[in-house]
Amino acid sequence: MQLDIKLLSKNTIAIALLLFCFISNAQTLRKRTTMLMGGRFDITIVAKDSLSAEQNIDSVISEITRIENLISDWKPTSQVSEVNKNAGIRPVKVDPEVFQLTQRALHLSEITNGAFDISFAAMDKLWKFNGSMTEMPSAEAIQKSVEKVGYKNIILDSVQSTIFLKLKGMKIGFGALGEGYATDKCRNMMIAQGIKAGIVNATGDMSTWGMQPNGKPWNIGITNPFRPDKISKIIHLKQGAVTTSGSYEKFVVFDGKRYSHIINPSTGYPSTGLCSVTVLGPNAETANGLSTSIMVLGKKNGIELINKYPDYGFLMITDKGKIIKSKKFGSLKK
């Protein structure tokens, strides 16, 4: 009888140990949607339990809010707004984080000859993409709309950590580049805190890491620009970033030619030729800068640009529906 009790105890311990291992390895997926930085953020966290997942989503939201309060040009108390208020007056000291983000943006402006330019924020809202436009703006009006735009008039002082806009009326704004930066920061923060998987998605610009609770990679759908309610491609990511720039929601058509809401900041004219550009790579900030630049540069010059970044791949869809993709994109496709 004593032997039977001992065997029963060992079996109970074994079962308890198995249950503990199962519980300790169980993963819970939680998702939350919120509006930040002027757009929609979908935050997905995989953690050991619901409480931990929700707490980490709170941490992500707090980090995005912190970044928004630093760089959002529509926040009157942000450092970027202070820079804009003092355009043509004086340099403004900013945090190293804001200074370095501006440095990276200006580097992108230099290598794209102004196809990417954070001073686009000063551009007059001449083009309307709400269905109200009935004719092209005049060449004179378009030229006037970019008078205060020009990255070469953004002066950085790395010693003093200041930003100075030379012309009165100039403005800078990070837009989706800032959202991509925020998703990267949040992903790195979560990894540092031991969260093994998740997605931070800023209106389609997303940073991913880890795997789904079922052990499979994340499924990322690429919108069909001609049928926005349909998915054109599905890619599978473990850790990386994907961003899409496109004209499938906001565009106008004049004389049979499609004009995107993405404006060339150096000319004032909308981009043409490409309906969407998806870029894959290690981080969302760079991917967003590249996808936006390629939309402006067009197919040939866009491919030349992204070929300088071997860690990034692309998928372009032309306004004729033709798909052009890099080998790297193909290697990530199902």
Side-chain angles (χ1 to χ4, degrees):
M1 185 67 181
Q2 188 177 7
L3 180 61
D4 289 339
I5 292 173
K6 285 181 179 179
L7 287 172
L8 181 61
S9 299
K10 287 179 179 179
N11 288 337
T12 302
I13 291 168
I15 291 168
L17 183 60
L18 285 171
L19 283 172
F20 173 78
C21 290
F22 175 78
I23 293 169
S24 66
N25 289 324
Q27 297 285 291
T28 298
L29 184 150
R30 301 291 289 180
K31 182 177 179 180
R32 198 186 308 171
T33 297
T34 186
M35 296 298 291
L36 290 163
M37 300 181 77
R40 169 176 164 162
F41 274 77
D42 295 301
I43 303 160
T44 304
I45 294 292
V46 178
K48 61 183 179 181
D49 54 56
S50 296
L51 178 60
S52 175
E54 292 291 348
Q55 288 174 337
N56 280 285
I57 290 175
D58 289 340
S59 296
V60 168
I61 290 173
S62 294
E63 177 66 359
I64 297 168
T65 302
R66 182 192 70 79
I67 294 169
E68 179 178 22
N69 288 332
L70 275 179
I71 70 171
S72 292
D73 56 300
W74 60 86
K75 290 270 187 182
T77 56
S78 75
Q79 292 186 5
V80 166
S81 289
E82 189 67 17
V83 169
N84 292 342
K85 287 176 198 171
N86 286 279
I89 301 171
R90 66 176 180 87
V92 173
K93 189 175 181 64
V94 297
D95 288 1
E97 183 176 9
V98 178
F99 188 87
Q100 290 160 13
L101 180 59
T102 308
Q103 275 185 317
R104 294 193 297 272
L106 290 186
H107 173 70
L108 194 54
S109 295
E110 289 166 0
I111 66 173
T112 61
N113 292 317
F116 183 91
D117 193 333
I118 57 172
S119 70
F120 79 95
M123 189 181 296
D124 289 342
K125 303 298 185 285
L126 188 63
W127 296 84
K128 310 294 182 186
F129 300 94
N130 57 7
S132 64
M133 287 189 74
T134 57
E135 61 182 7
M136 286 270 290
S138 68
E140 293 78 15
I142 292 171
Q143 184 177 2
K144 184 174 175 57
S145 73
V146 295
E147 281 182 348
K148 303 296 184 181
V149 178
Y151 71 94
K152 291 181 180 179
N153 290 317
I154 303 172
I155 310 302
L156 302 184
D157 184 334
S158 58
V159 175
Q160 300 297 323
S161 190
T162 60
I163 303 173
F164 177 51
L165 309 182
K166 287 176 66 175
L167 306 178
K168 281 193 174 183
M170 276 191 76
K171 293 179 182 178
I172 59 172
F174 290 102
L177 188 80
E179 293 176 356
Y181 170 70
T183 68
D184 292 333
K185 285 282 286 185
C186 291
R187 176 183 62 187
N188 295 341
M189 180 180 72
M190 288 292 96
I191 292 172
Q193 293 179 9
I195 299 302
K196 299 187 182 302
I199 302 176
V200 184
N201 177 4
T203 322
D205 291 353
M206 63 187 76
S207 295
T208 72
W209 72 103
M211 309 276 269
Q212 298 182 65
N214 62 10
K216 294 183 179 180
W218 300 104
N219 297 322
I220 310 297
I222 307 300
T223 300
N224 182 332
F226 298 100
R227 297 190 62 187
D229 58 327
K230 301 292 184 182
I231 298 299
S232 177
K233 297 286 181 182
I234 295 177
I235 58 174
H236 307 286
L237 286 180
K238 295 180 182 178
Q239 180 159 329
V242 56
T243 73
T244 298
S245 298
S247 63
Y248 44 86
E249 291 179 339
K250 297 179 182 179
F251 62 92
V252 291
V253 178
F254 292 123
D255 297 326
K257 191 172 185 179
R258 184 183 179 118
Y259 295 87
S260 163
H261 75 286
I262 298 173
I263 310 292
N264 185 331
S266 63
T267 68
Y269 284 86
S271 64
T272 60
L274 295 174
C275 278
S276 74
V277 176
T278 299
V279 173
L280 305 170
N283 78 68
E285 179 194 327
T286 302
N288 178 271
L290 291 172
S291 63
T292 303
S293 299
I294 292 168
M295 281 291 295
V296 172
L297 290 169
K299 180 181 72 172
K300 180 177 179 293
N301 292 331
I303 291 173
E304 288 179 4
L305 170 67
I306 200 168
N307 282 343
K308 298 174 183 177
Y309 294 81
D311 291 335
Y312 291 80
F314 67 87
L315 183 146
M316 304 176 187
I317 302 179
T318 72
D319 55 9
K320 304 297 183 184
K322 183 179 180 181
I323 295 176
I324 306 152
K325 64 182 179 66
S326 66
K327 290 182 180 178
K328 188 171 183 65
F329 189 95
S331 70
L332 293 172
K333 181 175 67 67
K334 185 176 180 181

